[in-house]
Structures are given as C-alpha cells and as structure tokens.
Amino acid sequence: MSSPSVVTDVRDSPLSVDEALRAVSHPRAGAVAIFVGTVREHDEGREGVTVLDYSAHPDAADRLAEIAATVSQGHQVHGVYAVHRTGSLRVGDLAVVCAVSAEHRAEAFEGGRRLIEVLKAQVPIWKRQQYVDGGHSWVGM
C-alpha cells in the first residue's frame, strides 16, 4: 500500500474545497471529512467584523506540514490536506480548508478533527480583526 498523500500550504491566494477533494482522493478511501473555516461577522462577543488580516510566522508552513504528517499516520488514512490563508479576507471568505480521506468515516472524522484542532492550537498564524466602527483586535497572539 502506498503512503498517504499530504498537501499543506500557507498562502495569500484564495482557497478551494475542490482542490482539497482532489488532493486527498484515493481509490481505497470510502470517506472524506472536510472542514472549511470562513470569516464571520462577529467574534469574541463583538459584532461588526468587516475584515480579517491574517499573518503567519515564517515557521508556520513547516509546523503545519509536521501536524499533517502526524495525522497521515492515522489508521487507514489515505490523504491529508491543510491550507491556511494569509492576507486580507472579508466576511464569507475561506480562511482554512482541511480534508482527510480514510477507508471509513470514523477514521476520516477523527483525523479531520485532530487536524483542525492541532492546527488552531499550534500553527503560529494570527489575525487582526477590523470592525465596522473602526476598531480592531488581535487574536492568536
């Protein structure tokens, strides 16, 4: 059996769910779990978010690749995809897309949940939230 495919990136161009599906496609995979994180109009109990400016530490891509490689070692996992956006994003834009393919849904769901939870906890990516009233706040620092 071949090694699972692993695709990771931190980039300033738009993200694609179709790209994620293609990246984790495998003839033995009977399930794909996908997580799509989008920019929402509120955060931290405050309404009126208009723009998120994402920035990443120079080591963010390497850390993301390490996490994805660990997830790819999961039982019956065939593909892992994790791409996070940087730059200026508006409400509704895709900020992060993760996908895990596996032979069965339980393994795909478990790998996908682990992937996004560890990514959010350990990959050094920060966001500056801008609000409609002109205020801003930093998250993840």
Side-chain angles (χ1 to χ4, degrees):
M1 183 158 50
S2 62
S3 298
S5 66
V6 177
V7 174
T8 61
D9 198 10
V10 176
R11 65 182 185 216
D12 64 0
S13 57
L15 305 184
S16 165
V17 173
D18 289 337
E19 177 184 315
L21 283 170
R22 283 190 302 275
V24 300
S25 177
H26 190 280
R28 294 191 59 86
V32 177
I34 297 178
F35 174 83
V36 178
T38 59
V39 176
R40 62 181 179 260
E41 65 182 0
H42 65 92
D43 196 27
E44 301 179 317
R46 188 171 174 188
E47 297 291 327
V49 172
T50 58
V51 175
L52 293 184
D53 292 310
Y54 280 99
S55 53
H57 187 277
D59 294 336
D62 292 339
R63 184 68 189 119
L64 182 56
E66 292 168 7
I67 292 164
T70 299
V71 170
S72 77
Q73 296 169 10
H75 184 63
Q76 297 180 344
V77 170
H78 295 291
V80 177
Y81 178 97
V83 178
H84 203 295
R85 184 85 190 269
T86 57
S88 196
L89 284 74
R90 300 222 170 263
V91 172
D93 286 348
L94 305 185
V96 61
V97 176
C98 295
V100 174
S101 66
E103 293 194 20
H104 303 283
R105 69 180 171 272
E107 291 84 4
F109 279 130
E110 189 279 325
R113 181 171 190 81
R114 199 166 103 219
L115 179 61
I116 189 60
E117 295 298 338
V118 177
L119 181 160
K120 294 296 285 179
Q122 296 183 13
V123 177
I125 295 175
W126 312 281
K127 62 183 176 183
R128 181 180 184 266
Q129 302 185 129
Q130 297 181 42
Y131 296 93
V132 70
D133 66 6
H136 72 274
S137 64
W138 282 94
V139 178
M141 296 194 87

